[in-house]
Amino acid sequence: MTTHRQQLSRRAFLARAGVLGAAVAAGAIVPTVTGLPFAAGQTKAGLDPVIALLRPALQELARDTINGLTTFVVPGSDPYSQAQGVSTNGPGAIHARTPDFLMSALDNFVPLPNEYVRPVAAALATAVADDKIPLPGDLTRLLPLHLNTVDEALKKLLSTDETVPLSLVIAMTLNLVATQVNPASLHGVFVSPFARLSWAEKAQAMRMVEQTDADLVEALDVNLPQPLHQSLSGVLKFVGGALIEFSAYGSFTEYAVFDKQTKSLTAKPVGWTISRYDGIAEGWDEFKGYYQGRTKVEG
Amino acid sequence: MRDVIVIGAGGGGPVVAKELAARGLDVLLLEAGPRHANPRREWTHYENDANNPLTGFFRFGPADRTKPAWFRETNQNSFLWQLSGVGGTTQHYYGNYPRAYPGVFQGYAGADRGAYDTEHVFPFTYKEMVPYFEWVEHTAPVQTAAMGTKEEIYFRGCETLGIPVQTTKDAKGFAYRPQENAILQPGGNAGRTSDRELLVYPKATGCTFCGFCFQGCMQPVNAPRNQFAKRSTDNSYVPMALTAEVWAKAGRPITLITDAFVNQVHYEEKHGTPTATGVTWRDTNTGELHREDATVVVMSAGCTENPRLWLNSELPNPNDWVGRGYTDHFFDWVLGTFDEYTGNSKGVGSSARCDFPGHGGLENVGLPPALEAFTLALSDSGVRGAYANGRGKTGNWDGPTGRPLGKELLDIMSHGIDRLLNVLVITDDDVEAQNRVVRSALPADRNGPVAKVEFHGRQRSARTLANREFMARKAAELLKGAGAKKIYRIDWAPLILHVQSSMRMGTSENNSVLDANGEARWVKRLFIADNSALSNGLGGPNPTLSNQALSTRTAEKIFRLYFGGDPWVGKEAPVVSTDHRISVRLGQLGL
């Protein structure tokens, strides 16, 4: 039997992870309306339409969060950079398609075993948060049945046989941290709380990820089976660093304009423009001779 | 039944394979990754296509790039940069071949002998190592590096440090010098033009200054594989091993099988002693398992994979030193911005260095944009101006250590990639038992439990920590002397490459895995020949030459102990890997 307090905590968790906001934005649930598409305790088949709405909403949540992350590393003239208060007049990570680069890598190529990702996702699917952080009005107006509907849909989505998208797991984690840094990030433009942070607040969030803030790890750790929970804080430390490194790396590669078939570029990469790079060649006129004319030394 | 099975075609395995093939033994060389037999068709110079650790052609994973890379667990802010494929990490190295410092060998009597890791010295003398250095230096061949613009500027900084120029291969004290590199010197049009038509072999020979050492060397265009400028083992030792019959009197070409992941070393008790008998490997394409036996087995799978394979094979580990003592030169990164052209992205990756025996070394490193940005974004000091992770060290550089991100990253990059100069700090780090490889508790892959690499970046010995600070200050001093306008120190998180000694050869059976022959102390006929066999971090110099010299010595030991032969180093003249006979034979074989 779920208590009212647990329900509030669960609501807070789902809101802070960005899930409730994404679900509302996608129309999977609608606050304040009296009629619900589905009642609590519905059949599994009955959840499918909600899942059908929730799945793309969560993908959008992941993308929005990653957008906010990559512009923290390489800002440009895009709305995410402008919203964080650090932007430029030129192209940045968004123009370099770094979010695509990062999401593709996370979801398809990071070889974290699914047997590991799934328990982490399960922990996210069942974790609760403290409810001290006030929720914005539209999220508090969700009835318990609304909450149950989206909650059941999320749990089902994360426990199906499909591979759990790592980008979503990471996005939910970043959003949890974001709402800890600034509770007001629960509301505003964009879908993701992390993307709503200022540049300085994003830095604060990444500090907490790198240092694996105890409360956060505890919240995620509680449902992880042995031996995985011993690994979670370490993996978070690694992921915290890797997200930043790969945002920087991806932004300055040819990723966005590389034609795999012809192994050639379709346009000049954004990172080459920013760094005034001369590009590739079979060689350069760079030979300057030998230091002090010495071409050989002996033992 | 083979004479010898070598596991791994990276920096060390092909050396053993080539040397024993030259003696006429039947050698099987197994490599988990791809062959890369046709670089012009398989490779490009693009950074993501080449170096993305998840999807690039240089990654630690199967040949099929649509499949995920192979997972290894790292439970800290660090980056483990492994490579599979023929050539291993020499595919993306910079060809630096400095000799180890004499102070890390047994019997060293220099005035600074207390300045090194005296608990973990090599179990033989430097004097004994020198002929093996010379053998490899001739084979590669190793040459005194040519300069580009970035080297000229680097030397300008060196000239302000108050240290002399070193004009010998042996390091005898604080000094600076051009690198001794395994990169062929530029000939013909090489280094003198960017016109592709003029850079075709033989109109151009050796290094063309293309700037893509990290993307794998395929220069000059149309050169035979063994004439490619950079002497990674896919261009040097492997071609020699595959053609041993044409350049060695009694030579017999090796059998090379790629996409073959060894997951078991077999052993049995013989006369009361565990004795290696063979291996099982999995075809990474079909999943089929194959078994083959041999008189001798040589593990050359690297510092991370050798311990994994050992532990998964349940081989004896009585002192618990398998996987321990994993050194990484505790790198750091100091860079300067200049108001002049530095040629950072062009030319040989690294052609100038400083040696500070007892402390470590410095070298210049040229980078294209994405690797530069990656380098700037890897730190244990947080984000500059935002948070410092309890660090944010200050010194003779500008501001605190840490990642420059956001506007500051753009400031550096938009200043111009070719107006930067990078200095890599290579610390003389102690062998520490706590830095190690264990089997991960996370779900195994189909070859068994995977490796977990544990690094305790901040808890190193006082000597290691002091060495890194000493070297970082020297790097900043050098950059200032060279005319840098602004100097950044990153305080790198562990970038796990240059790794050494996780299966170390040592003087004591209490803290080593190998005896002085390179044979496992507790398993007969099982040898280790790669960076993991090195006794320590060499004092700081890059490990490839020492690895290959030691592997040559190990090949001799194998030949003498189990095949009744005599050593050859110091008695015979080595054949250079660019030998014309090898080129001709490669052409006949379509390689």
Side-chain angles (χ1 to χ4, degrees), chain A residues 71-76 86-88 91-92 101 105-106 108-113 115-116 199-200 202-204 206-208 210-211 227-228 230-235 237-242 244-246 248-250 252-255 258 263-265 271-272 274-292 294-299, chain B residues 40-42 44-49 51-55 65-66 68-71 73-79 144-149 152 155 159 165 167-170 176 178 180 185-186 191-194 196 199 208-210 212 219 221 341 345-346 368-370 373-374 377-378 382-383 386-387 389 403 405-406 409-410 413-417 419 441-443:
Chain A
T71 51
F72 166 65
V73 178
V74 184
V86 174
S87 62
T88 72
F101 168 89
L106 291 170
N108 300 311
F109 294 101
V110 172
L112 264 178
E115 297 93 325
Y116 174 68
W199 192 90
K202 288 179 182 175
Q204 180 74 353
M206 294 314 293
R207 180 189 70 78
M208 290 168 68
E210 274 201 81
Q211 296 184 348
L228 299 184
Q230 294 293 338
S231 292
L232 184 57
S233 62
V235 169
K237 281 181 191 168
F238 167 72
V239 166
I244 290 174
E245 290 136 36
F246 275 82
Y249 179 79
F252 286 92
T253 69
E254 77 289 350
Y255 169 80
F258 182 65
K263 291 182 182 285
S264 62
L265 303 187
W272 292 18
I274 293 173
S275 63
R276 298 150 66 185
Y277 179 51
D278 285 340
I280 66 167
E282 298 292 351
W284 296 104
D285 179 12
E286 263 289 318
F287 175 46
K288 306 295 179 194
Y290 294 86
Y291 188 63
Q292 297 181 337
R294 196 176 297 108
T295 58
K296 192 175 177 185
V297 298
E298 302 301 330
Chain B
R40 282 276 154 196
R41 195 168 62 217
E42 299 176 52
T44 67
H45 285 148
Y46 298 116
E47 292 186 81
N48 189 52
D49 188 35
N51 306 121
N52 187 317
L54 299 172
T55 60
R65 291 166 67 191
T66 65
W70 293 322
F71 174 66
E73 186 184 0
T74 47
N75 265 19
Q76 61 269 320
N77 179 18
S78 64
F79 199 86
T144 299
M147 290 189 297
T149 307
E152 286 186 325
F155 287 134
E159 288 162 357
V165 183
T167 57
T168 59
K169 287 181 186 281
D170 292 330
Y176 69 93
E180 290 294 295
Q185 293 180 350
R192 294 167 173 88
T193 179
S194 57
R196 189 184 194 281
L199 291 171
T208 63
F209 285 72
C210 73
F212 301 111
Q219 304 299 348
V221 177
Y341 171 78
S345 71
K346 298 173 183 173
F374 175 90
L378 177 73
V383 175
Y387 66 97
N389 275 348
R403 307 175 179 95
L405 295 187
L409 176 60
L410 284 174
M413 296 300 289
S414 62
H415 187 72
I417 190 75
R419 295 205 297 170
L442 297 181

Side-chain angles (χ1 to χ4, degrees), chain B residues 192-203:
Chain B
R192 294 167 173 88
T193 179
S194 57
D195 183 342
R196 189 184 194 281
E197 297 307 313
L198 298 175
L199 291 171
V200 175
Y201 183 89
K203 287 189 277 188

Side-chain angles (χ1 to χ4, degrees), chain B residues 44-360:
Chain B
T44 67
H45 285 148
Y46 298 116
E47 292 186 81
N48 189 52
D49 188 35
N51 306 121
N52 187 317
L54 299 172
T55 60
F57 53 76
F58 288 162
R59 62 173 187 163
F60 187 62
D64 182 352
R65 291 166 67 191
T66 65
K67 292 181 178 169
W70 293 322
F71 174 66
R72 299 295 176 264
E73 186 184 0
T74 47
N75 265 19
Q76 61 269 320
N77 179 18
S78 64
F79 199 86
L80 177 59
W81 210 316
Q82 289 177 280
L83 260 68
S84 57
V86 173
T89 49
T90 69
Q91 291 172 107
H92 76 175
Y93 81 149
Y94 286 170
N96 299 140
Y97 267 49
R99 294 180 178 182
Y101 295 149
V104 301
F105 287 79
Q106 194 174 56
Y108 178 68
D112 63 345
R113 64 183 179 277
Y116 302 91
D117 182 354
T118 52
E119 294 294 307
H120 300 93
V121 293
F122 277 80
F124 56 90
T125 64
Y126 185 74
K127 191 178 172 192
E128 183 179 338
M129 187 69 149
V130 168
Y132 297 99
F133 284 148
E134 290 173 344
W135 181 272
V136 175
E137 285 162 348
H138 185 93
T139 304
V142 174
Q143 298 176 298
T144 299
M147 290 189 297
T149 307
K150 64 181 181 296
E151 285 74 33
E152 286 186 325
I153 297 173
Y154 183 93
F155 287 134
R156 194 166 75 203
C158 292
E159 288 162 357
T160 69
L161 294 179
I163 57 176
V165 183
Q166 182 180 323
T167 57
T168 59
K169 287 181 186 281
D170 292 330
K172 293 171 179 167
F174 291 7
Y176 69 93
R177 55 174 162 150
Q179 295 274 16
E180 290 294 295
N181 269 357
I183 292 178
L184 302 180
Q185 293 180 350
N189 298 318
R192 294 167 173 88
T193 179
S194 57
D195 183 342
R196 189 184 194 281
E197 297 307 313
L198 298 175
L199 291 171
V200 175
Y201 183 89
K203 287 189 277 188
T205 59
C207 181
T208 63
F209 285 72
C210 73
F212 301 111
C213 293
F214 208 71
Q215 285 76 35
C217 188
M218 49 182 178
Q219 304 299 348
V221 177
N222 291 350
R225 185 72 184 250
N226 72 322
Q227 306 282 351
F228 284 0
K230 193 178 76 172
R231 314 311 295 153
S232 42
T233 58
D234 51 321
N235 298 335
S236 59
Y237 279 94
V238 170
M240 292 189 88
L242 290 169
T243 62
E245 80 280 18
V246 301
W247 58 267
K249 198 172 172 186
R252 176 176 178 173
I254 64 157
T255 303
L256 170 65
I257 302 180
T258 57
D259 308 308
F261 200 109
V262 176
N263 56 23
Q264 184 82 30
V265 172
H266 300 286
Y267 72 101
E268 57 189 53
E269 297 280 332
K270 288 186 180 172
H271 312 296
T273 305
T275 304
T277 59
V279 306
T280 292
W281 80 88
R282 184 186 301 278
D283 183 318
T284 61
N285 297 312
T286 66
E288 288 173 357
L289 291 171
H290 300 267
R291 165 140 189 192
E292 193 139 11
D293 293 329
T295 303
V296 167
V297 174
V298 181
M299 295 171 71
S300 303
C303 283
T304 306
E305 298 308 306
N306 279 339
R308 179 210 186 188
L309 178 56
W310 185 288
L311 296 170
N312 284 355
S313 299
E314 307 289 346
L315 291 162
N317 181 22
N319 64 4
D320 196 27
W321 262 78
V322 167
R324 291 188 182 273
Y326 195 144
T327 74
D328 66 338
H329 282 160
F330 200 13
F331 287 136
D332 203 351
W333 203 263
V334 185
L335 77 152
T337 56
F338 288 73
D339 285 345
E340 64 187 303
Y341 171 78
T342 61
N344 170 39
S345 71
K346 298 173 183 173
V348 178
S350 173
S351 286
R353 69 183 294 111
C354 299
D355 292 281
F356 293 94
H359 300 279

